[in-house]
């Protein structure tokens, strides 16, 4: 798994999967908390991330950007921590867990068990101690959220960015116009670096690129 320091407190773990796509776990080391954005494919996949953040002895806040299996199977590696998502995400994990396991069981790395988010929100959630902002941004899924580090200007747009530079528009579970509203919301945010679930690290210009492609 590739490890990359993006800025002073932003780090990315990227796994090149056997199925032809990369998968990102994003860590933000705040002053009060360590934030982990998505938990990957299971305990084995998540282990190096957990080792990296445990050295600080700071409480961990894990965030599920949406309910899809490749972003939540490591939840059970943090059974006693704070696990945050949109309120729809919790419901959808519970509803689709068995179906996702049955369809994608070969992709599990290590162990997994259904651990549901224990903190949910509707439109926004803010952690003022570290200036971390969670925002409801439907697009790839109806429950999708994004995470903004206001200190370093880093946005994690999760799977609202397509999987490659050649396919910047993701598959959508909502109407195109609603996704465009999410993109316009991104344009209003103050950031210069964009991290996603499966693409390389990009800059803010990717938002205009997607808007030009989709409109």
């Amino acid at each position: 798994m590739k490890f990359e320091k993006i800025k002073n407190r932003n780090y990315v773990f990227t796994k090149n999967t056997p199925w032809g796509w990369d998968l990102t776990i994003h860590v933000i080391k705040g002053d009060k908390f360590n934030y982990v954005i998505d938990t990957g494919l299971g305990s084995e996949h998540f282990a190096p991330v957990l080792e990296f953040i445990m050295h600080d002895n700071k409480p961990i806040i894990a965030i599920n950007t949406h309910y899809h299996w490749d972003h939540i199977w490591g939840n059970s590696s943090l059974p006693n921590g704070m696990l945050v998502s949109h309120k729809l995400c919790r419901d959808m994990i519970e509803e689709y867990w068995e179906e996702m396991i049955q369809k994608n069981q070969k992709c599990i790395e290590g162990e997994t068990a259904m651990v549901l988010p224990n903190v949910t929100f509707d439109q926004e959630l803010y952690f003022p101690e570290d200036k971390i902002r969670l925002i409801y941004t439907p697009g790839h899924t109806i429950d999708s959220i994004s995470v903004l580090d206001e200190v370093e200007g880093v946005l994690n747009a999760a799977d609202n960015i397509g999987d490659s530079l050649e396919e910047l528009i993701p598959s959508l579970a909502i109407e195109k116009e609603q996704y465009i509203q999410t993109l316009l919301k991104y344009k209003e945010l103050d950031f210069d670096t964009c991290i996603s679930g499966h693409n390389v690290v990009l800059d803010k210009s990717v938002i205009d690129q997607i808007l030009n492609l989709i409109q």
Side-chain angles (χ1 to χ4, degrees), residues 48-114:
V49 181
L50 190 58
E51 182 179 359
F52 175 67
I53 57 179
M54 290 294 282
H55 290 312
D56 291 348
N57 291 318
K58 280 185 280 192
I60 298 167
I61 296 177
I63 300 163
N64 289 153
T65 59
H66 59 296
Y67 76 96
H68 284 167
W69 54 273
D70 51 325
H71 298 263
I72 65 166
W73 277 351
N75 284 2
S76 54
S77 295
L78 293 164
N80 301 314
M82 185 185 298
L83 180 58
V84 185
S85 76
H86 190 266
K87 62 182 183 180
L88 292 175
C89 180
R90 178 189 168 93
D91 295 340
M92 294 174 84
I93 292 173
E94 192 166 26
E95 180 178 355
Y96 293 107
W97 178 266
E98 289 302 327
E99 178 183 330
M100 292 189 293
I101 290 287
Q102 291 300 319
K103 287 184 176 180
N104 304 286
Q105 194 163 17
K106 68 180 185 300
C107 302
I108 298 172
E109 295 193 359
E111 298 178 355
T112 189
M114 185 169 64

Side-chain angles (χ1 to χ4, degrees), residues 7 23 43 46 75 96 114 118 121 130 145 154 156-157 181:
K7 292 192 177 183
L23 180 59
S43 59
F46 193 67
N75 284 2
Y96 293 107
M114 185 169 64
N118 49 34
F121 68 98
D130 294 313
I145 65 171
V154 177
N156 189 312
Q181 290 306 306

Side-chain angles (χ1 to χ4, degrees), residues 144-215:
S144 292
I145 65 171
S146 300
V147 182
L148 177 66
D149 177 358
E150 295 182 337
V151 173
E152 294 196 333
V154 177
L155 176 74
N156 189 312
D159 287 8
N160 280 342
I161 307 293
D163 292 357
S164 70
L165 296 176
E166 294 73 32
E167 297 185 9
L168 289 173
I169 301 174
S171 61
L172 299 176
I174 61 171
E175 295 295 326
K176 183 177 78 171
E177 288 304 316
Q178 192 177 5
Y179 175 60
I180 289 173
Q181 290 306 306
T182 285
L183 295 172
L184 294 175
K185 183 182 291 187
Y186 288 153
K187 283 177 63 67
E188 296 174 356
L189 301 177
D190 185 12
F191 68 97
D192 57 28
T193 303
C194 186
I195 295 171
S196 63
H198 303 284
N199 212 322
V200 296
V201 177
L202 299 162
D203 60 36
K204 192 173 184 177
S205 66
V206 69
I207 306 305
D208 280 329
Q209 293 178 53
I210 299 172
L211 280 166
N212 290 335
L213 288 168
I214 201 169
Q215 287 181 319

Side-chain angles (χ1 to χ4, degrees), residues 117-158:
N118 49 34
V119 176
T120 63
F121 68 98
D122 185 9
Q123 293 300 318
E124 289 199 14
L125 182 64
Y126 191 58
F127 294 94
E129 305 92 343
D130 294 313
K131 296 186 177 179
I132 299 294
R133 184 178 172 193
L134 278 59
I135 311 161
Y136 178 46
T137 51
H140 176 61
T141 60
I142 191 63
D143 64 321
S144 292
I145 65 171
S146 300
V147 182
L148 177 66
D149 177 358
E150 295 182 337
V151 173
E152 294 196 333
V154 177
L155 176 74
N156 189 312

